[in-house]
């Protein structure tokens, strides 16, 4: 496994080297570390290579980052087979990284995840709550010209992935996604940590409004 996962890590590092939306290599590395923490804390029995490879590769095929998702999926598949990953491992990794996104879930397009996929989904969502979630939301919003806050724009329930990608405001994103994530966690450890971070985000929002309304 060390050689296989090292090759996956190197591939992810190269693919995400110039990423500027908050989904860079450091992000996927933290996701991989969170996945390890979840497995250990909840004493889950899973294929470590599937979990770690899914964590490092999940944003390599994201349409926020690549224009041709299908070709990138084929490239990831070829990489995994070149590393002698089994057919079952390859299928599970590809299924996980193509079905774990929040945008797919909110439009009911996602297929059920394996336990490994659920772990990585939780790990990725832990990156969207707490201090890191606040910073990444602001960073992404600024990069896409989203307003910080607009009292005339209410948080939305999105009907499509395209609509979700357009967003509303940085602050609305807390209500449209971030504050909803703790209830959506699959694992005990991630759920506990997410609810702790939710309190931090709520305190931040309270402080934000007090400063915004000066």
């Amino acid at each position: 496994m060390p050689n296989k996962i090292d090759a996956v890590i190197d591939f992810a590092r190269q693919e995400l080297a110039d990423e500027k939306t908050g989904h860079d290599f450091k992000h996927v590395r933290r996701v991989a570390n969170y996945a390890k923490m979840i497995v250990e804390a909840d004493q889950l029995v899973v294929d470590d290579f599937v979990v770690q490879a899914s964590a490092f590769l999940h944003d390599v095929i994201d349409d926020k980052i690549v224009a041709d998702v299908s070709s990138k999926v084929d490239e990831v598949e070829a990489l995994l087979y070149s590393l002698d990953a089994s057919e079952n491992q390859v299928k599970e990794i590809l299924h996980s990284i193509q079905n774990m996104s929040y945008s797919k879930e909110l439009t009911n397009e996602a297929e059920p995840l394996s336990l490994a996929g659920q772990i990585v989904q939780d790990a990725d969502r832990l990156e969207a709550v707490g201090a890191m979630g606040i910073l990444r939301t602001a960073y992404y919003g600024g990069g896409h010209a989203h307003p910080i806050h607009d009292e005339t724009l209410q948080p939305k329930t999105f009907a499509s992935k395209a609509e979700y990608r357009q967003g509303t405001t940085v602050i609305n994103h807390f209500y449209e996604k971030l504050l909803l994530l703790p209830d959506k966690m699959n694992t005990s450890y991630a759920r506990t940590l997410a609810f702790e971070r939710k309190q931090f985000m709520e305190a931040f929002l309270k402080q934000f409004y007090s400063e915004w309304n000066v």
Side-chain angles (χ1 to χ4, degrees):
M1 177 178 168
N3 290 336
K4 286 197 295 185
I5 197 60
D6 285 348
V8 168
I9 292 170
D10 287 343
F11 177 79
R13 183 184 286 109
Q14 292 172 16
E15 290 292 311
L16 301 173
D18 299 320
E19 209 290 311
K20 295 292 188 295
T21 71
H23 301 80
D24 57 8
F25 178 74
K26 291 182 179 179
H27 159 67
V28 298
R29 185 174 62 190
R30 289 192 298 268
V31 171
N33 287 337
Y34 277 130
K36 287 181 181 179
M37 293 163 64
I38 292 169
V39 170
E40 293 172 2
D42 287 354
Q43 299 182 332
L44 302 175
V45 179
V46 286
D47 184 325
D48 286 337
F49 176 72
V50 169
V51 170
Q52 288 294 296
S54 298
F56 278 104
L57 295 171
H58 77 278
D59 275 336
V60 168
I61 64 155
D62 195 309
D63 61 1
K64 293 189 299 295
I65 297 169
V66 296
D68 189 343
V69 172
S70 179
S71 293
K72 190 57 66 174
V73 170
D74 291 343
E75 189 176 343
V76 168
E77 181 178 23
L79 168 72
L80 293 171
Y81 277 124
S82 75
L83 299 174
D84 291 328
S86 71
E87 182 176 358
N88 286 340
Q89 287 177 320
V90 174
K91 286 182 176 179
E92 186 172 4
I93 292 166
L94 293 178
H95 183 271
S96 294
I97 64 178
Q98 291 180 92
N99 287 280
M100 59 178 280
S101 71
Y102 184 78
S103 58
K104 267 204 168 185
E105 182 179 288
L106 66 85
T107 54
N108 296 315
E109 297 175 9
E111 298 176 5
L113 294 169
S114 67
L115 177 57
Q118 291 176 21
I119 291 166
V120 179
Q121 183 182 64
D122 280 4
D124 187 38
R125 290 178 173 180
L126 284 174
E127 271 279 284
V129 293
M132 193 60 67
I134 293 170
L135 284 173
R136 292 178 69 235
T137 294
Y139 184 73
Y140 184 88
H144 290 76
H146 295 170
I148 293 176
H149 183 44
D150 185 338
E151 297 91 335
T152 68
L153 296 177
Q154 296 299 309
K156 297 178 66 174
T157 299
F158 299 102
S160 70
K161 186 172 184 176
E163 187 181 1
Y164 171 71
R165 283 282 187 263
Q166 291 176 356
T168 51
T169 70
V170 171
I171 291 299
N172 277 357
H173 190 64
F174 284 81
Y175 303 98
E176 293 162 349
K177 177 182 178 181
L178 308 189
L179 295 172
L180 306 178
L181 292 179
D183 283 317
K184 295 179 177 293
M185 293 294 178
N186 305 293
T187 61
S188 178
Y189 176 81
R191 190 177 303 112
T192 298
L193 193 55
F195 273 105
E196 291 175 0
R197 294 181 177 186
K198 181 179 180 179
Q199 293 179 331
F200 179 83
M201 290 191 297
E202 289 171 336
F204 166 80
L205 288 170
K206 182 178 180 180
Q207 182 66 25
F208 169 81
Y209 290 125
S210 73
E211 297 180 17
W212 180 266
N213 293 319
V214 168

